[in-house]
Amino acid sequence: RWESFLLERFFEESLEVAISAGRKADSILNHSLKNTMADAAGDIDLFLTCLQSGEASVGVQHLEHAAASLWRGMRNCLNRQAYLHLVAGKYSISLQRINLRKLVS
């Protein structure tokens, strides 16, 4: 009976930790997405302003920036699991070789 109690308590504590980590990860994601969507909305507004003033060729750059912001937001959604591991203290670093010239060009 005592073992059953301890096991139940362990599961309850584990669940509380997981829920708390999930909330923190969602908070990070929410903050990132709000900023990303604000960037995209601003660029779309600038595009529309350029379009109305007859400067469509200049405005295309703003539309491209908006698209890049939206892609960044989608990537942030994919990173939620990494945020979850970070706030739970379970994130492990993985080293990877990269071509630095490709990264900065």
Side-chain angles (χ1 to χ4, degrees):
R1 188 165 186 166
W2 177 249
E3 291 171 353
S4 176
F5 170 78
L6 289 178
L7 187 60
E8 184 177 332
R9 183 68 190 137
F10 170 77
F11 284 128
E12 286 175 1
E13 288 175 1
S14 297
L15 182 60
E16 288 174 16
V17 168
I19 289 171
S20 175
R23 284 184 183 140
K24 289 176 184 175
D26 287 340
S27 177
I28 293 169
L29 179 60
N30 187 35
H31 179 75
S32 298
L33 287 177
K34 278 194 236 179
N35 287 337
T36 303
M37 297 307 113
D39 288 345
D43 278 318
I44 290 170
D45 284 342
L46 288 171
F47 167 74
L48 293 173
T49 300
C50 289
L51 196 63
Q52 290 172 349
S53 65
E55 300 176 3
S57 61
V58 176
V60 170
Q61 184 179 17
H62 294 296
L63 199 56
E64 290 170 347
H65 288 160
S69 292
L70 294 172
W71 280 109
R72 195 168 56 249
M74 286 187 280
R75 192 171 52 247
N76 284 338
C77 289
L78 292 174
N79 289 338
R80 183 191 181 274
Q81 195 64 29
Y83 301 150
L84 187 59
H85 288 295
L86 278 171
V87 297
K90 297 179 181 179
Y91 187 79
S92 60
I93 298 171
S94 73
L95 301 176
Q96 298 177 356
R97 290 185 178 264
I98 61 166
N99 184 336
L100 192 56
R101 292 181 209 274
K102 282 185 179 179
L103 186 66
V104 296
S105 60

